[in-house]
């Protein structure tokens, strides 16, 4: 098998800093974890919060701490630091080669979508952000790594896109229609979802938006790990 | 402008763990850093060393510590931990949007190649790995971010490829011929260099090999940051 992970990320309109922070890191016992946090408010303050949360989580994952425990620790650290006044969402999306599973950790009201064979399920069980109180627990979903499985994770910029104009985005519905058409690559899916959200916001995103698409496919290629990053620079 | 970064990475033949560790992280004042370490020997011990070095460096970069200081700190930490018995190479390749420069930090005998307008310069100034002694200093090269600039960084698996068969690889020469042909993408370049090295090793890499290609181009697209990861899984 092989796992493909694609990320598309854009800042709020006219904002040079994104409140969303995303890092992908190697797991010490094999695999990768994508860690995505969205700090409350936008701009510099939100960036500092989301960076702090992501850093805390990847530091713990690197030591072999389990994803759920890392999320709880980051919540406690944020609560202690900000006295419950600042919250942050968190998603951890791990390909754990040690357990042979994909582990989804969510402290985010925004749902996660899980697709198998063109069927898209929306996991929308209630989930609270980090830092709001003591003992915040994440919602954890674990499943076998198997070909055909696809997972879509996003921040609330996607959820709220178009609301200003009274045309909110139905991400799950849009994903289903994208999957009906053809067999889009993870990057095409992430790009399409993001582009649609930006369009609903009249080309001026009302919030930072991040979309992560993870797909498991049958092994098609060589033994080479690859990573590709595109970073647009303002001037 | 936009910056494209591509990575291709393969394990030593019949080795499930790579001694090379590579992480790409956001810089707190804007931009990204790619951090690549290769721990002495191969397998589990080397992995633990390179993970420790990369973790130390990205932790410090996240706090706003300058690249050179982060490299020196990682060296001192490794020297203290292993009493000078274990060394690790380190390359940090940073797109620093705060200074508007690309900063290359090297504690690695393997050279770095800098290309501008089909001209490939090999930076091979002597550079020692981390952890060998106290006060190890990195070689630092800083340059303006400008379209057409391309940087190629790699671990010694590429340098030593083919030596077993008495056909060592001339990376700089090969890169020049690849650049003459057409305008290959960073991923195509990284893949070609890696594939050639593996071929020289008879399809069985004698060491872990990692290749990073960073290219600055004129702005061609939208404001979206993208990242793409491919992770092959053994079974």
């Amino acid at each position: 098998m092989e796992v493909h992970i694609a990320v598309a990320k854009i800042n709020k309109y006219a904002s040079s800093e994104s409140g969303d922070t995303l890092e992908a890191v190697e797991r010490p016992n094999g695999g990768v974890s994508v860690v995505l946090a969205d700090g409350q408010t936008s701009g510099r303050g939100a960036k500092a919060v989301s960076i702090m949360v992501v850093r805390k989580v990847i530091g713990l994952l690197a030591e072999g701490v389990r994803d759920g425990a890392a999320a709880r620790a980051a919540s406690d650290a944020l609560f202690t630091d900000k006295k419950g006044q600042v919250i942050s969402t968190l998603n951890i999306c791990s390909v754990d080669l040690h357990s042979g599973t994909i582990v989804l950790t969510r402290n985010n009201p925004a749902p996660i979508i899980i697709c198998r064979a063109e069927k898209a399920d929306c996991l929308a069980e209630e989930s609270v952000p980090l830092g709001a109180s003591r003992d915040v627990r994440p919602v954890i979903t674990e499943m076998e790594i198997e070909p055909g499985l696809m997972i879509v994770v996003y921040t609330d910029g996607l959820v709220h896109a178009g609301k200003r104009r009274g045309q909110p985005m139905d991400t799950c519905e849009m994903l289903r229609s994208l999957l009906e058409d053809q067999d889009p690559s993870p990057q095409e899916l992430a790009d399409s979802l993001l582009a649609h959200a930006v369009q609903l916001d009249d080309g001026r995103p009302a919030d930072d938006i991040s979309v992560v698409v993870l797909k498991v496919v049958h092994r098609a290629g060589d033994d080479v790990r690859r990573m590709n990053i595109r970073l647009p620079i303002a001037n």
Side-chain angles (χ1 to χ4, degrees), chain A residues 30-48:
Chain A
V32 292
S33 290
V34 176
V35 182
L36 172 62
D38 178 10
Q40 196 183 41
T41 76
S42 63
R44 252 202 116 70
K47 186 69 191 173

Side-chain angles (χ1 to χ4, degrees), chain A residues 102-139:
Chain A
I102 288 174
V103 183
L104 305 174
T105 302
R106 178 166 69 98
N107 279 106
N108 191 350
I112 289 176
I113 305 174
I114 298 184
C115 310
R116 284 189 182 90
E118 290 174 31
K119 197 167 156 292
D121 285 324
C122 204
L123 298 192
E125 188 186 338
E126 194 190 338
S127 170
V128 293
L130 307 184
S133 66
R134 284 223 171 270
D135 206 26
V136 164
R137 287 176 176 276
V139 176

Side-chain angles (χ1 to χ4, degrees), chain A residues 62-142:
Chain A
E63 290 169 16
V65 172
R66 294 170 64 101
D67 297 29
R72 287 200 298 277
S75 184
D76 287 346
L78 182 61
F79 181 81
T80 304
D81 192 39
K82 304 290 184 188
K83 301 179 178 60
Q85 301 301 304
V86 177
I87 58 174
S88 171
T89 68
L90 172 71
N91 287 94
I92 312 174
C93 195
S94 294
V95 181
D96 184 344
L97 298 186
H98 187 65
S99 61
T101 56
I102 288 174
V103 183
L104 305 174
T105 302
R106 178 166 69 98
N107 279 106
N108 191 350
I112 289 176
I113 305 174
I114 298 184
C115 310
R116 284 189 182 90
E118 290 174 31
K119 197 167 156 292
D121 285 324
C122 204
L123 298 192
E125 188 186 338
E126 194 190 338
S127 170
V128 293
L130 307 184
S133 66
R134 284 223 171 270
D135 206 26
V136 164
R137 287 176 176 276
V139 176
I140 294 184
T141 313
E142 189 166 2

